[in-house]
């Protein structure tokens, strides 16, 4: 892919901040990916039609890019990394889906191509669900997988903590800026994940959590992981959003049978391609191993000489 220079990065940020004609971030990222240059698109957009009269338009356009350059310079000396989707360090698995984040901020250690599995469920989880999340996460670590979750209270917290306590790696994809902690009770856990794993955000560094950021976070979790395990869920939960998004991404979804029995959306997913229904933590992790084994077999067949 090749790393950009700061002129390109600044142009991308300017486009995302101004959002010409109210264009969505995903459309901007797609257009830049097709063009290969954020600067070229920015120069086309930074015309009188975008900023008003030509005399003030040039000033405003220059101000936007200069402000973006200052931010990039400040982020370079911060305690996190700023990575655009055109940089070599950007996680390849995120590029494989539509609506990929135009950039990510990372604290901790980014491991290219890691096999991460989402373990998700509600904030107000039952004790059975919390115990199941702990069991699944410990088993995933035991067979070499990274545990991926969203750093929310409930199942997410149980999954991250179990992975760390089992001596494994965990990745948190958060629904707020990288400088923020949410929920506040997870401050210590977040810092431990930074030391022993990775925290990733697709939002501006100081952005607070908001209703619309969590579905975006769930979509990124789906893309980053090789599979999603839903431990427990309600009828209108974030787990439902991630499960449906994972199916759209072509990522496997593993549902505990209680989810298919207890929700209409879970029952509707049963039988769809790439959806597995299991009755225990052991079966959930076994399904992940089967998925990876099948994927590796396909890759070997495709790589074999003809």
């Amino acid at each position: 892919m090749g790393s950009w220079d700061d002129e390109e990065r600044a142009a991308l940020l300017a486009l995302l901040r101004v959002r010409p004609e109210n264009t969505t971030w995903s459309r901007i990222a797609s257009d830049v990916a097709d063009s290969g240059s954020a600067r070229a698109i920015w120069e086309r957009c930074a015309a009188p039609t975008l900023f008003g009269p030509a005399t003030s338009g040039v000033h405003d356009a220059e101000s936007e890019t200069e402000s973006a350059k200052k931010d990039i310079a400040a982020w370079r000396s911060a305690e996190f990394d700023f990575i655009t989707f055109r940089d070599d360090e950007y996680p390849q698995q995120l590029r494989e889906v539509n609506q990929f984040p135009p950039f990510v901020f990372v604290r901790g250690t980014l491991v290219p191509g890691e096999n991460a599995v989402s373990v998700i469920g509600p904030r107000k989880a039952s004790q059975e669900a919390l115990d199941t999340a702990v069991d699944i996460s410990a088993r995933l670590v035991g067979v070499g997988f990274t545990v991926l979750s969203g750093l929310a209270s409930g199942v997410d917290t149980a999954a991250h903590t179990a992975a760390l306590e089992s001596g494994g790696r965990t990745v948190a994809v958060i629904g707020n800026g990288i400088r923020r902690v949410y929920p506040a009770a997870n401050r210590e856990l977040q810092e431990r994940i930074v030391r022993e794993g990775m925290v990733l955000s697709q939002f501006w560094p100081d952005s607070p959590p908001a209703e619309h950021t969590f579905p975006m976070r769930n979509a990124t979790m789906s893309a980053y992981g090789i599979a999603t395990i839903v431990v427990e869920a309600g009828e209108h939960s974030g787990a439902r959003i991630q499960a449906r998004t994972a199916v759209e991404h072509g990522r496997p979804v593993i549902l505990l049978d209680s989810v298919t029995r207890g929700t209409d959306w879970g029952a509707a997913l049963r039988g769809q391609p790439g959806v597995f229904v299991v009755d225990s933590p052991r079966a959930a992790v076994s399904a992940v191993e089967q998925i990876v084994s099948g994927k590796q077999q396909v890759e070997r067949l495709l790589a074999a000489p003809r």
Side-chain angles (χ1 to χ4, degrees):
M1 180 66 66
S3 292
W4 276 0
D5 59 25
D6 283 350
E7 294 289 337
E8 289 286 359
R9 295 186 184 96
L12 176 65
L13 294 187
L15 285 166
L16 295 171
R17 284 170 172 162
V18 172
R19 293 180 55 225
E21 299 179 348
N22 292 321
T23 308
T24 64
W25 276 25
S26 59
R27 176 59 186 273
I28 290 170
S30 179
D31 289 347
V32 172
D34 291 341
S35 168
S37 172
R39 288 182 64 188
I41 294 176
W42 174 251
E43 288 169 1
R44 289 201 302 269
C45 291
T49 55
L50 173 61
F51 291 102
T55 54
S56 64
V58 173
H59 171 73
D60 288 344
E62 290 178 354
S63 295
E64 287 290 344
T65 54
E66 287 305 311
S67 176
K69 288 177 186 177
K70 290 178 181 177
D71 284 339
I72 292 168
W75 295 340
R76 191 160 284 130
S77 61
E79 59 179 7
F80 51 77
D81 295 321
F82 166 64
I83 306 168
T84 76
F85 78 95
R86 291 283 300 185
D87 290 320
D88 290 335
E89 301 87 349
Y90 188 86
Q92 177 60 36
Q93 60 268 42
L94 297 184
R95 293 197 189 104
E96 297 171 356
V97 304
N98 293 328
Q99 299 180 332
F100 54 88
F103 58 77
V104 294
F105 292 93
V106 168
R107 292 186 67 203
T109 303
L110 179 61
V111 176
E114 68 181 326
N115 284 331
V117 179
S118 291
V119 179
I120 61 172
R123 291 172 172 82
K124 296 181 179 179
S126 68
Q127 188 59 51
E128 181 181 1
L130 296 175
D131 292 342
T132 299
V134 168
D135 196 347
I136 289 172
S137 299
R139 290 176 183 274
L140 287 171
V141 167
V143 291
F145 293 105
T146 294
V147 174
L148 176 66
S149 204
L151 203 60
S153 56
V155 164
D156 290 13
T157 295
H160 289 304
T161 302
L164 294 169
E165 293 301 317
S166 300
R169 174 175 162 85
T170 188
V171 169
V173 180
I174 58 178
N176 45 270
I178 199 74
R179 286 193 179 114
R180 294 220 175 203
V181 176
Y182 181 82
N186 274 352
R187 180 176 299 277
E188 184 176 341
L189 176 59
Q190 180 165 323
E191 290 305 311
R192 185 176 177 188
I193 295 173
V194 168
R195 295 192 302 270
E196 301 180 36
M198 182 181 73
V199 175
L200 180 147
S201 170
Q202 68 203 84
F203 306 106
W204 303 119
D206 296 305
S207 295
E211 185 175 353
H212 71 279
T213 62
F214 292 106
M216 295 169 68
R217 181 274 308 272
N218 285 115
T220 298
M221 282 174 58
S222 164
Y224 191 91
I226 59 172
T228 291
I229 300 176
V230 183
V231 174
E232 186 176 75
E235 200 61 66
H236 303 287
S237 64
R240 176 202 59 161
I241 295 171
Q242 180 161 336
R244 288 178 169 177
T245 304
V247 170
E248 294 172 3
H249 287 165
R251 299 284 200 267
V253 175
I254 301 165
L255 305 176
L256 269 293
D257 56 2
S258 59
V259 176
T260 61
R261 293 196 312 267
T263 64
D264 291 340
W265 65 264
L269 286 182
R270 182 189 284 272
Q272 291 197 25
V275 177
F276 301 77
V277 179
V278 299
D279 60 3
S280 69
R282 181 188 296 274
V285 176
S286 177
V288 174
E289 292 181 297
Q290 292 174 24
I291 290 163
V292 172
S293 177
K295 180 181 177 183
Q296 291 172 342
Q297 185 176 1
V298 169
E299 289 173 348
R300 284 195 297 269
L301 289 172
L302 292 175
R306 296 173 182 264

